[in-house]
């Protein structure tokens, strides 16, 4: 799994003009990509890492502050544009594989005690956020 994690003061995602998920920070906006060999165990490891990652103000984690997370599926994180001008998406797992694993990340975060908002898998989403810092990290699990 691959995740782009941004420290935010606020974030939201809309689908067809309807807000489907939003958080007020401090918190994290997390774009999650799934590849072919990811498993529920990979999803659990990502959830634990996100919950305990000390990137909020004062080197605190979401678990330290009870900070919310907005988790959004993002298959394009596995795009490969090394050749030519058009990315390939061969590294991204297909929807029937990826969706349950993104759901598993969310479920595991909630089981840890996190407040989690989400996007809508496979939808044309518009993401708005205020990146605090700016502070962005890439995680590979």
């Amino acid at each position: 799994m691959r995740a782009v994690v941004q420290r935010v003061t606020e974030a939201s995602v809309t689908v067809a003009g309807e807000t489907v998920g939003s958080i007020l920070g401090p918190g994290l906006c997390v774009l999650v990509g799934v590849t072919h060999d990811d498993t529920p165990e990979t999803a659990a490891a990502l959830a634990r890492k996100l919950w305990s990652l000390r990137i909020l103000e004062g080197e605190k984690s979401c678990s330290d502050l009870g900070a919310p997370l907005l988790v959004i599926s993002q298959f394009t994180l596995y795009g490969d544009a090394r050749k030519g001008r058009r990315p390939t998406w061969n590294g991204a797992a297909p929807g029937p594989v990826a969706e349950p694993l993104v759901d598993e990340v969310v479920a595991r975060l909630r089981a840890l005690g996190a407040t989690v908002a989400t996007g809508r898998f496979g939808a044309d989403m518009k993401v708005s956020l205020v990146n605090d810092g700016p502070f962005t990290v890439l995680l590979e699990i």
Side-chain angles (χ1 to χ4, degrees), residues 11-107:
S12 65
V13 60
T14 61
V15 175
E18 172 196 356
T19 300
V20 296
S22 66
I23 62 170
L24 289 175
L28 300 178
C29 181
V30 184
L31 306 176
V32 176
V34 177
T35 194
H36 302 281
D37 58 356
D38 288 332
T39 64
E41 291 75 26
T42 311
L46 179 59
R48 287 189 304 272
K49 176 67 86 171
L50 292 168
W51 187 232
S52 63
L53 192 64
R54 296 174 56 175
I55 63 171
L56 297 175
E57 188 69 35
E59 294 187 7
K60 301 288 186 185
S61 67
C62 287
S63 65
D64 293 331
L65 301 176
L69 300 95
L70 175 59
V71 176
I72 303 164
S73 64
Q74 183 84 37
F75 81 93
T76 61
L77 292 180
Y78 279 100
D80 184 351
R82 289 178 288 183
K83 292 183 180 180
R85 299 179 301 161
R86 183 180 311 176
T88 65
W89 313 111
N90 297 337
V97 173
E99 185 174 11
L101 291 174
V102 173
D103 290 345
E104 183 71 13
V105 171
V106 171

